[in-house]
Amino acid sequence: MNSVSVALPLPVYKVFSYRIPQEMSDKIQIGTIVEVEFHGSRRFGCVWSFDSVQNDKEYELKSLLSCLPLEPLADWQMEFAKRISNQTFSSLGEALALFVPKYQLSWEKWTSQRIFLINEDDEYFLDLKKHGVDPISQGVNLFIFKDLLGLTTQKINQLIKKNRIKVVEEDYKKNQYSLPPQKWNKKWWQRGTIAESLNLLGDLIKDSFDRGLKIFILFPGPKILDYFMENLKTNYPLARFLSFDGRLTARKRMLAYQMVREGYFDVLLGTRLAQFLPIHQIGVQVLFDPDDFGHYSDQQPHYHSFHSLIEKVSITGGDLHIIGTIPDLTLYFGLQEGYFETQKGQVKQFTKEQKLELVTYEQKKTILPQLVQKAIAQNITNRQNSIIWVQKTGYSVALGCSDCGFYYSCSDCDVALRFYRKERILRCPRCGKKVIPESFCPECHGPWMKTWGDGIEKVYQFLKRIFSGVPIVKIASDQERSELDVKGEEPLIIVGTSAALHEELLAHSTLFIIHSFEDWLFLPEFQVREKFYQNIQRALYFLGAAKPPKNRVLIETSKQYQKYIDPFFLPPAEFYKQELEKRKKYGYPPSQGLLQVIARSRNKLNREMVLNKVKNELKVDQFIVDGPFPGDSYLKKSGWSDQLVIKFEPSVLSTLYNKVTAVVQARKSTGVEVDFKVYNTLPGWVKDDPR
């Protein structure tokens, strides 16, 4: 019996066997997108391999329902999906689903056919030609023809009836194109302002044109994509530009998918999902601002564009250019190891004078010290914007009793609940659980409830009282930031979390205040120092870029923590050298990869049983396994979770994935939820590899 293994977009670490109907046998190949029945519902999946299942009266396979009229995934896409699943510890089906946009069966008539214009005098010939389509000799997919030109079904039927177009069945074959083997460039560029970055991208586009290569530029979000799309199209009017991002409707995504597949572009601009399009002929790939959170997928698979694009290039070849402000520790490690070349002097750097001032206190008596208030007042007088950077959301870090010491904590995550004064609720910063506080202490029934720590709401309310009549803006999310206009004539006071550390806000501000420096020092995650350093350096880099060259940076801190400040203002080479030595000593990324296997359940015995099974499977020299021990406090539901910490070399990631997921998939139902947190490092490249 001929059958195939199909990977379905489910959180299940296995593939499923289906029988190939006789009438579909000549259409099925590895990478074909098929429709199947799974537990009473219809789903799309990808053919992963061919199987041979023995006839068994008690074992009857379901048949494939249909084969979608789409190009089968190429070999590089199949390998790329496998590496994405390994990187993120997601299922193979979830990774493969990234490569095909949402498909509607009503499109089948259009995606399954190809049209040819009969003669060059047709009114549609020039419209198609400007997109690089040759509708006479090569034809064009009917879906592209219909949607690109905005034709109705009735109009297409008329064209067929009048013999103006010829319609044939689309012959979808696996794309076998590959770039020629040669030594490709992998470079890091430190960018300047957005305007200077436009010139840098223009140079890369021009260079790719001169070499006869297509170029793909990956941006962290749609707003910055729109800016570059508009300006680059103006600067290069003869080039064919395409864009792809999450705002597109399902139909427009399919149109872009089909045009990319056919190669009807010279420059492709997109956000993170665009890297999974069938971009077979891309010779130059550019990642813009890799440290921006927009490059991270907060849905499964939890990939980051920096790591995924590096993996893609290691499979397909092509130049890779990383353009950013301050390299993170992994990128710096790659520069030191020779994975990337540093490009300097290509961007005109803006120069400015920055004055760093320390504001210390023995014990905090007011939310903002007098020196800080005075600095803000001076900035308002000078009609300049100010930014106060606060670590926590909400009104306060905790709410509790000043008599007995009780404070509200999350029963699931075992962390203090943050107090939101305006809504008068408590919320867990990990799982989002909400609690309405009582008027009296739940423990001693005393009336003296108080707040601890400063959240963004407390600082905001304080500023409103002190600087009444001055526009004060609170920013705790990207949406709040996007709605703000910082180019107006009125000076602004911006109080925000890390969402406020955006280039445009910083460039139009001249005073930057780090509120309660000590709040950032002792967060539990091992990467916190690196991230804090990056945020500080990025803020210093862009502060006042669009304003007069004199800026002030104020650092508020308790005197006992003053000794910790200096390293965060060192140049990257000095700061990262110290961090790399610490990481290497303890076997943490980027010197090695690290995996946390997190088991969650109210039953501790069940949690430990699952983790010990994983640990027993990994009793080999390739891995260093620590645990089980209680889940870290920054993890969701840490109060009833345990974890393993596994350290590994990049070359054995695939082996680790297979062993761990096999145990997780084979476990019997114990009511234990298993999650993964992966800290990847650079893949094990051979430096002289032609790829």
Side-chain angles (χ1 to χ4, degrees):
M1 180 188 295
N2 292 325
S3 64
V4 289
S5 291
V6 177
L8 296 175
L10 301 168
V12 180
Y13 296 104
K14 61 183 293 187
V15 291
F16 301 89
S17 294
Y18 286 87
R19 186 176 63 84
I20 305 174
Q22 185 64 35
E23 64 275 13
M24 293 172 59
S25 59
D26 59 339
K27 297 180 180 179
I28 300 298
Q29 53 188 307
I30 292 175
T32 298
I33 309 303
V34 294
E35 184 186 15
V36 300
E37 182 193 346
F38 183 82
H39 285 227
S41 63
R42 294 191 170 199
R43 295 179 179 270
F44 298 140
C46 179
V47 174
W48 183 251
S49 64
F50 286 96
D51 299 332
S52 180
V53 179
Q54 299 296 323
N55 287 322
D56 190 332
K57 293 181 180 179
E58 298 180 359
Y59 188 82
E60 184 176 351
L61 291 181
K62 294 180 181 179
S63 297
L64 299 175
L65 299 178
S66 66
C67 171
L68 298 193
L70 294 172
E71 179 183 274
L73 298 187
D75 292 343
W76 71 263
Q77 292 176 294
M78 303 290 281
E79 176 62 22
F80 190 18
K82 182 179 177 182
R83 296 194 191 185
I84 290 291
S85 67
N86 289 350
Q87 273 191 354
T88 61
F89 273 70
S90 57
S91 72
L92 187 59
E94 288 172 314
L96 285 163
L98 296 170
F99 293 82
V100 184
K102 298 291 184 183
Y103 188 84
Q104 298 178 15
L105 291 175
S106 59
W107 300 339
E108 189 169 2
K109 173 183 176 182
W110 313 108
T111 60
S112 64
Q113 295 181 314
R114 195 170 190 84
I115 69 102
F116 294 81
L117 290 182
I118 302 303
N119 61 73
E120 296 184 3
D121 297 328
D122 196 284
E123 61 183 293
Y124 300 119
F125 179 80
L126 291 179
D127 289 334
L128 292 171
K129 202 70 177 176
K130 69 181 181 182
H131 292 283
V133 181
D134 183 354
I136 302 294
S137 61
Q138 295 181 351
V140 60
N141 185 268
L142 185 53
F143 189 96
I144 297 177
F145 182 69
K146 182 178 187 297
D147 280 51
L148 189 62
L149 301 180
L151 302 178
T152 63
T153 302
Q154 183 180 8
K155 181 64 177 178
I156 290 176
N157 290 334
Q158 289 175 358
L159 294 175
I160 296 173
K161 190 173 182 180
K162 293 178 180 179
N163 203 32
R164 288 174 57 185
I165 61 174
K166 177 184 176 183
V167 181
V168 300
E169 286 296 312
E170 186 74 86
D171 183 18
Y172 283 112
K173 295 180 179 178
K174 185 187 288 282
N175 193 299
Q176 302 291 347
Y177 178 87
S178 62
L179 292 168
Q182 65 183 70
K183 186 169 179 58
W184 297 96
N185 297 313
K186 300 178 182 70
K187 296 182 178 181
W188 152 258
W189 302 80
Q190 186 174 39
R191 72 178 183 86
T193 62
I194 287 290
E196 292 166 347
S197 301
L198 182 65
N199 295 331
L200 173 56
L201 288 178
D203 290 342
L204 292 176
I205 289 173
K206 185 177 183 301
D207 178 68
S208 67
F209 287 174
D210 293 343
R211 296 161 61 194
L213 299 172
K214 296 178 184 292
I215 182 170
F216 167 49
I217 307 174
L218 185 56
F219 294 101
K223 188 174 180 179
I224 193 168
L225 184 152
D226 290 342
Y227 170 84
F228 282 105
M229 185 73 168
E230 179 183 351
N231 285 278
L232 289 172
K233 285 179 75 172
T234 302
N235 295 346
Y236 298 92
L238 299 180
R240 298 171 298 166
F241 283 83
L242 270 182
S243 68
F244 186 93
D245 66 79
R247 297 169 298 177
L248 298 178
T249 63
R251 193 172 190 99
K252 287 195 175 295
R253 287 192 190 196
M254 179 55 66
L255 175 61
Y257 171 88
Q258 294 285 359
M259 292 191 69
V260 168
R261 180 185 68 82
E262 297 272 10
Y264 300 150
F265 70 96
D266 300 307
V267 184
L268 174 63
L269 280 64
T271 51
R272 61 175 183 263
L273 269 178
Q275 64 189 297
F276 304 109
L277 291 170
I279 42 181
H280 305 296
Q281 301 175 20
I282 292 288
V284 179
Q285 317 210 38
V286 181
L287 180 64
F288 193 86
D289 263 358
D291 56 322
D292 194 296
F293 193 73
H295 284 300
Y296 174 75
S297 172
D298 56 3
Q299 297 180 349
Q300 194 72 293
H302 297 297
Y303 63 91
H304 192 288
S305 296
F306 174 74
H307 293 288
S308 57
L309 204 57
I310 287 175
E311 290 287 5
K312 180 184 181 301
V313 171
S314 71
I315 299 168
T316 64
D319 286 351
L320 175 62
H321 298 274
I322 311 291
I323 300 175
T325 51
I326 306 297
D328 67 5
L329 191 59
T330 303
L331 184 51
Y332 178 79
F333 175 72
L335 291 168
Q336 298 303 301
E337 294 294 311
Y339 293 135
F340 300 103
E341 301 173 45
T342 305
Q343 299 299 301
K344 295 181 179 179
Q346 304 294 326
V347 178
K348 179 185 176 184
Q349 297 295 318
F350 40 85
T351 58
K352 54 188 182 297
E353 178 188 340
Q354 285 181 340
K355 184 179 180 183
L356 270 64
E357 304 171 46
L358 197 59
V359 181
T360 62
Y361 41 80
E362 292 284 357
Q363 186 174 357
K364 210 167 188 181
K365 296 180 180 179
T366 182
I367 294 173
L368 290 177
Q370 288 292 329
L371 286 174
V372 173
Q373 295 179 42
K374 184 178 178 181
I376 296 172
Q378 289 174 346
N379 227 38
I380 293 170
T381 302
N382 295 332
R383 306 192 67 78
Q384 303 292 340
N385 298 334
S386 308
I387 296 179
I388 299 99
W389 183 27
V390 183
Q391 201 258 336
K392 306 288 187 184
T393 57
Y395 183 81
S396 65
V397 177
L399 175 69
C401 177
S402 58
D403 279 350
C404 69
F406 164 84
Y407 65 92
Y408 285 96
S409 62
C410 178
S411 58
D412 294 338
C413 302
D414 199 25
V415 294
L417 296 175
R418 290 186 190 168
F419 180 49
Y420 291 77
R421 186 177 182 182
K422 186 177 180 181
E423 298 93 341
R424 191 155 180 78
I425 62 167
L426 294 152
R427 184 180 299 143
C428 176
R430 302 285 175 252
C431 67
K433 183 177 182 178
K434 296 180 182 180
V435 174
I436 298 175
E438 299 179 23
S439 300
F440 299 92
C441 174
E443 291 290 325
C444 70
H445 306 292
W448 309 111
M449 302 298 287
K450 63 174 286 187
T451 60
W452 283 283
D454 299 341
I456 182 175
E457 289 182 5
K458 184 185 283 189
V459 179
Y460 174 76
Q461 293 297 334
F462 179 83
L463 289 166
K464 294 282 280 186
R465 290 197 305 271
I466 301 299
F467 299 101
S468 59
V470 178
I472 302 173
V473 182
K474 181 176 59 175
I475 296 179
S477 68
D478 291 342
Q479 182 177 353
E480 290 172 328
R481 183 189 69 212
S482 64
E483 296 169 354
L484 178 63
D485 179 16
V486 292
K487 299 179 183 178
E489 295 183 359
E490 288 295 317
L492 291 173
I493 301 175
I494 301 166
V495 54
T497 59
S498 297
L501 304 187
H502 188 265
E503 177 179 346
E504 186 177 21
L505 303 188
L506 290 163
H508 289 85
S509 303
T510 56
L511 175 62
F512 179 62
I513 300 163
I514 303 176
H515 178 68
S516 295
F517 178 87
E518 59 268 23
D519 288 351
W520 304 88
L521 292 178
F522 305 111
L523 298 175
E525 200 199 355
F526 75 89
Q527 289 181 312
V528 68
R529 281 177 57 84
E530 173 194 349
K531 292 177 181 177
F532 186 35
Y533 176 80
Q534 268 191 282
N535 279 327
I536 289 175
Q537 293 299 317
R538 182 180 176 86
L540 298 179
Y541 191 77
F542 286 118
L543 183 65
K547 292 287 183 179
K550 194 171 183 179
N551 307 303
R552 294 178 70 185
V553 178
L554 270 61
I555 307 155
E556 298 176 39
T557 187
S558 171
K559 285 186 178 179
Q560 62 178 314
Y561 298 114
Q562 185 176 341
K563 60 185 177 182
Y564 297 105
I565 290 177
D566 288 347
F568 292 97
F569 294 88
L570 292 172
E574 295 182 42
F575 178 82
Y576 284 146
K577 181 181 178 181
Q578 298 174 13
E579 289 298 302
L580 281 173
E581 288 174 355
K582 293 177 186 175
R583 298 281 185 90
K584 189 172 183 179
K585 178 180 178 181
Y586 295 107
Y588 275 69
S591 60
Q592 290 187 98
L594 186 143
L595 168 69
Q596 288 175 282
V597 183
I598 305 151
R600 297 188 180 95
S601 171
R602 295 189 182 276
N603 188 316
K604 185 173 180 63
L605 291 176
N606 285 348
R607 299 198 304 256
E608 292 182 345
M609 180 181 68
V610 170
L611 293 178
N612 281 321
K613 286 182 178 179
V614 173
K615 188 173 183 178
N616 291 335
E617 185 67 23
L618 299 177
K619 283 188 174 179
V620 290
D621 294 337
Q622 292 175 307
F623 312 108
I624 300 173
V625 185
D626 296 321
F629 43 75
D632 289 334
S633 61
Y634 65 88
L635 297 172
K636 182 179 177 181
K637 297 182 181 179
S638 59
W640 39 284
S641 70
D642 289 295
Q643 64 174 328
L644 294 177
V645 174
I646 304 166
K647 299 168 187 176
F648 61 92
E649 294 294 333
S651 58
V652 298
L653 175 58
S654 180
T655 302
L656 176 63
Y657 173 87
N658 292 336
K659 286 180 175 292
V660 172
T661 56
V663 174
V664 172
Q665 182 61 36
R667 79 188 193 282
K668 295 181 179 179
S669 178
T670 57
V672 178
E673 175 190 349
V674 180
D675 199 3
F676 304 98
K677 190 168 180 62
V678 193
Y679 300 90
N680 288 296
T681 183
L682 296 172
W685 289 349
V686 178
K687 295 178 187 177
D688 295 327
D689 190 333
R691 284 294 188 197

